[in-house]
Amino acid sequence: MNYRALGQTGIKVSEIGFGAWGIGGRTVNQTSYGDTDDRTSLAALARALDSGITFFDTSAAYGDGHSESLIGRAFSGRRQQVVIATKAGYDSWDREPDFSAAALVASADRSLRRLQTDTIDLLMLHSPSRNVLLQDEPRRALDSLIDSGKIRSWGASVKRPADALAALRVGDIPVIQGNFNMMDVRAASGGLFEEMHRRGSGFIARTPLCFGFLSGTITRDTVFPAGDHRRGWSAAQLAAWIDGANHLLAMIGSAPGVAGVQAALRFCLSFPDVSSVIPGIMTPIEADQNAAASACGPLLQVAVDAVLEINRARQFFVSAETAN
């Protein structure tokens, strides 16, 4: 496993991280990846650390806090070996977000208890609107949490790269988390990476597998489990991602399955401004397969350039809402 600096926070993270949305289990309506088994989830967390993954990304909203609780259980005796990032603003998908100072501090306190730790390494605003990103109140609340020792650093997990770019032009944000994958290169093409590099911000690449589609194993016959958020996407969007993934993987010479997953992760790691890429991991086997991508190194530049060129010529989103 290779490790990278998380911007200028002084924190070093594994370049392959652990996305912990899925292990939170089923939540209201279609806002999860379906039902899970805690024994499998705990085994996946342990295997990830044994495989060199030290960065674990979760949220108060994932499983209504259950994802955080699992991470707290898994690493209660090995806390110093891991870097934990969580998010505040959304505590549950069936309630409106609250980014007031009082709500952010209260959410951090609840996360600390669930994570069984005295300090959160990174606390991010969870999908704030651009208006929230431009306000002083959330920033002051996060700075106060640093002053009190409850968090080491803060950041924003944004809906759109353009929102982060607008906020960075107003003031520094130590860490940005955003969508970035072979079918969504807006962070690179829209100027976000350039501005982050200028300011020394770290970037966490979310959805590197585009919700699993870049594995190349999802077909039109795939039936997603109850509660899986992918059941809510339109047939046109699912088809666009299925066809797009097949085309991209064939173009760079990667077969569907493990090779496709690792190629998708290596694409993200080909960009020096990426501090860590966080595929969703739900089983020990997935932990091993994802961690192994680090040893493969970045994709060849010719493959990266080809992916970027395809994105200039082809649209993988069927609506503006999908691109959020």
Side-chain angles (χ1 to χ4, degrees):
M1 178 63 63
N2 295 308
Y3 301 85
R4 301 188 181 193
L6 186 59
Q8 296 180 348
T9 64
I11 300 171
K12 184 171 286 189
V13 293
S14 55
E15 64 180 12
I16 302 293
F18 189 115
W21 178 14
I23 64 170
R26 188 173 175 181
T27 45
V28 63
N29 300 323
Q30 294 170 163
T31 56
S32 68
Y33 281 90
D35 295 318
T36 55
D37 176 78
D38 284 353
R39 290 172 298 180
T40 301
S41 299
L42 289 167
L45 289 164
R47 182 70 64 81
L49 182 55
D50 291 343
S51 299
I53 293 175
T54 59
F55 182 56
F56 296 82
D57 175 90
T58 184
S59 169
Y62 297 165
D64 298 331
H66 188 57
S67 174
E68 290 181 329
S69 295
L70 286 170
I71 289 173
R73 289 169 59 187
F75 303 127
S76 61
R78 299 194 284 178
R79 176 65 181 90
Q80 299 306 312
Q81 298 180 39
V82 299
V83 175
I84 297 175
T86 192
K87 309 178 192 74
Y90 282 92
D91 283 334
S92 176
W93 299 124
D94 60 354
R95 294 195 296 271
E96 290 297 312
D98 189 346
F99 295 98
S100 67
L104 293 176
V105 171
S107 181
D109 286 337
R110 290 190 292 270
S111 292
L112 284 165
R113 289 192 292 271
R114 287 189 291 260
L115 291 165
Q116 301 182 39
T117 186
D118 296 324
T119 303
I120 295 166
D121 297 297
L122 175 66
L123 181 65
M124 291 177 283
L125 303 177
H126 196 168
S127 297
S129 67
R130 183 177 298 193
N131 182 55
V132 168
L133 281 170
L134 297 176
Q135 293 174 2
D136 288 333
E137 182 181 1
R139 294 172 184 248
R140 289 198 302 269
L142 293 163
D143 285 338
S144 74
L145 287 167
I146 292 177
D147 292 340
S148 66
K150 292 182 179 180
I151 69 174
R152 294 175 64 189
S153 189
W154 69 273
S157 180
V158 299
K159 295 180 179 180
R160 292 170 290 270
D163 292 343
L165 187 59
L168 281 170
R169 287 171 175 162
V170 172
D172 290 342
I173 300 176
V175 179
I176 299 291
Q177 180 180 112
N179 293 342
F180 186 58
N181 58 64
M182 291 199 296
M183 291 193 285
D184 185 352
V185 300
R186 291 173 294 166
S189 63
L192 178 58
F193 281 175
E194 182 179 355
E195 183 66 16
M196 287 176 44
H197 183 79
R198 189 175 73 82
R199 292 180 175 270
S201 301
F203 185 78
I204 301 166
R206 187 180 66 206
T207 66
L209 304 179
C210 191
F211 310 119
F213 288 89
L214 283 167
S215 68
T217 59
I218 296 176
T219 71
R220 284 174 169 77
D221 295 325
T222 298
V223 177
F224 299 111
D228 193 309
H229 71 98
R230 293 169 293 187
R231 293 170 69 102
W233 296 111
S234 69
Q237 182 58 73
L238 296 178
W241 280 335
I242 291 168
D243 294 343
N246 290 338
H247 177 65
L248 285 163
L249 291 177
M251 185 271 300
I252 63 173
S254 289
V258 176
V261 166
Q262 293 179 346
L265 299 180
R266 293 169 61 204
F267 170 80
C268 297
L269 294 176
S270 301
F271 294 80
D273 292 305
V274 172
S275 299
S276 186
V277 54
I278 52 167
I281 296 175
M282 298 181 69
T283 68
I285 291 175
E286 290 177 355
D288 285 339
Q289 293 171 346
N290 289 319
S294 178
C296 299
L299 283 185
L300 293 175
Q301 190 60 46
V302 64
V304 173
D305 291 342
V307 171
L308 295 176
E309 180 59 33
I310 288 174
N311 275 267
R312 283 190 285 268
R314 181 170 178 173
Q315 175 61 258
F316 295 105
F317 301 111
V318 300
S319 69
E321 182 178 356
T322 308
N324 285 348

